[in-house]
Amino acid sequence: MNQFEYIRTTDSKAAIKAMTKTGEAQFLAGGTNLVDLMKMRIVVPDRLIDINPLPLRDIEKTLTGLRIGALASNSEVAEHPLVKKNYPLLSLAINAGASAQLRNMATTGGNMMQRTRCPYFFDVTLPCNKRSPGSGCSALEGYNRMHAIFGASTACIAVNPSDMSVGMATLDAVVHVSGPKGDRSMKFTDFHRLPGNEPQKDNNLLPGELIIAVDLPASRYPQNVAYVKVRDRNSYAFALISVAAALDIRDGIIHTASLGMGGVAHKPWRLTAAEAFLAGKKPVDENFRKAAAISMEGAKAYVLNKFKLTMAPNAIRAALQQAAAKA
Ligand code: SF4
């Protein structure tokens, strides 16, 4: 590991100020991803700003929903009584990710910031536009079994690895950030970005901005939810495909549906066309099959991930069946 300056602060303004000084700087929270990247010399900061003392750990009711502090651990969120009662989809998504030990350390903000698990991103001897802009994308013609089927570019076909983020995006969460130019908020679905010509940018944070909290709106899906994660082994593995499904069923009819997918794009992928199709329909398999087919419009596979074109609609259908069965 190279040498770096270490700053620990109890004040978010001081943390943001330290971030904007010259040289490469990183905020340190749980460190479950960042420290690994530093050991592998993929991230080589001049300065680490330890934000663990900041008062950002609370999970509290708001007038309209629930506020989750950026430093609340994944375990604290998944097991919180109000999350389990009102946002069970988020508990399911978080508990599908990583291991119990990692969930105890990893924070909400850190989970949002985690980097792709594309193997070439981790191999500093091979080209990777995300790690080294302009060097090329080794995955395009290489080992692309885990890679995107939606929203990719010729510069990068990596996927976002977070289960928690799929749950947050599906539940219409809102992200609050603070930075050198003040505070602002954005939809969770706008936080992560597609690779385009700048795959080195995973998200839409501006320089120096710090994630403060994530707000969940009033609970719409306390019951009919499912998180289906298809992976190579049953725990501690990243998704080949994951599907978050939430249904609001009233008198035997789907009032609204929220659907998101992981393992398919550079960001959590909302299935808005399928959501619109399902609204007003009966929660029956014929409609779930059609919703899955609609969701796959525009999908594009590469040599080794063609199986996702079949696996994804099957997973969508399974998630919808599971969610509806809880009625
Ligand atoms: Fe790098 Fe993205 Fe290509 Fe993977 S897919 S090698 S992360 S540019």
Side-chain angles (χ1 to χ4, degrees), residues 116 118-121 127-131 136-140 147 155-159 199 266:
T116 185
C118 172
Y120 302 105
F121 180 70
C128 168
N129 285 325
K130 185 177 280 297
R131 175 175 31 77
C137 173
S138 297
L140 272 177
H147 290 69
C156 180
I157 61 172
V159 298
H266 202 257

Side-chain angles (χ1 to χ4, degrees), residues 24 44 58 66 93 122 139 176 188 190 196 224 228 239 244 252 258:
E24 161 83 17
V44 188
D58 289 345
L66 194 72
F122 290 92
H176 300 287
F188 200 96
D190 291 334
N224 292 109
V228 169
S258 284

Side-chain angles (χ1 to χ4, degrees), residues 58-275:
D58 289 345
I59 301 170
E60 54 195 357
K61 253 181 158 173
T62 63
L63 286 177
T64 53
L66 194 72
R67 172 158 295 191
I68 298 170
L71 290 174
S73 75
N74 287 180
S75 299
E76 287 165 342
V77 177
E79 301 306 323
H80 194 281
L82 288 175
V83 176
K84 288 172 89 167
K85 180 170 177 243
N86 296 326
Y87 308 96
L89 180 64
L90 184 58
S91 287
L92 292 172
I94 291 174
N95 283 329
S99 63
Q101 293 90 339
L102 283 168
R103 292 194 296 271
N104 287 341
M105 284 300 295
T107 64
T108 300
N111 191 319
M112 293 162 63
M113 296 296 291
Q114 66 176 300
R115 310 301 306 271
T116 185
R117 264 57 176 193
C118 172
Y120 302 105
F121 180 70
F122 290 92
D123 187 341
V124 294
T125 66
L126 292 172
C128 168
N129 285 325
K130 185 177 280 297
R131 175 175 31 77
S132 178
S135 61
C137 173
S138 297
L140 272 177
E141 304 292 332
Y143 186 72
N144 47 34
R145 179 171 175 270
M146 299 290 291
H147 290 69
I149 54 173
F150 291 109
S153 72
T154 53
C156 180
I157 61 172
V159 298
N160 183 291
S162 169
D163 291 294
M164 182 202 78
S165 292
V166 177
M168 293 282 199
T170 304
L171 291 171
D172 292 319
V174 172
V175 185
H176 300 287
V177 303
S178 188
K181 293 182 179 165
D183 301 339
R184 68 185 180 111
S185 305
M186 67 188 99
K187 291 180 183 174
F188 200 96
T189 47
D190 291 334
F191 180 82
H192 297 98
R193 61 186 295 284
L194 294 178
N197 291 325
E198 295 182 299
Q200 69 274 22
K201 294 182 183 172
D202 290 339
N203 56 61
N204 288 312
L205 283 177
L206 298 174
E209 282 188 327
L210 172 70
I211 303 168
I212 299 295
V214 179
D215 277 1
L216 292 171
S219 167
R220 285 192 295 159
Y221 304 109
Q223 185 172 356
N224 292 109
V225 298
Y227 191 76
V228 169
K229 181 174 178 179
V230 187
R231 47 188 155 173
D232 284 327
R233 53 174 191 269
N234 211 22
S235 69
Y236 201 20
F238 294 98
L240 293 164
I241 298 283
S242 67
V243 180
L247 300 174
D248 177 2
I249 301 172
R250 303 181 190 181
D251 300 324
I253 298 293
I254 298 170
H255 183 63
T256 58
S258 284
L259 298 168
M261 257 202 294
V264 296
H266 202 257
K267 61 185 286 185
W269 195 249
R270 273 293 287 267
L271 310 180
T272 50
E275 292 170 5

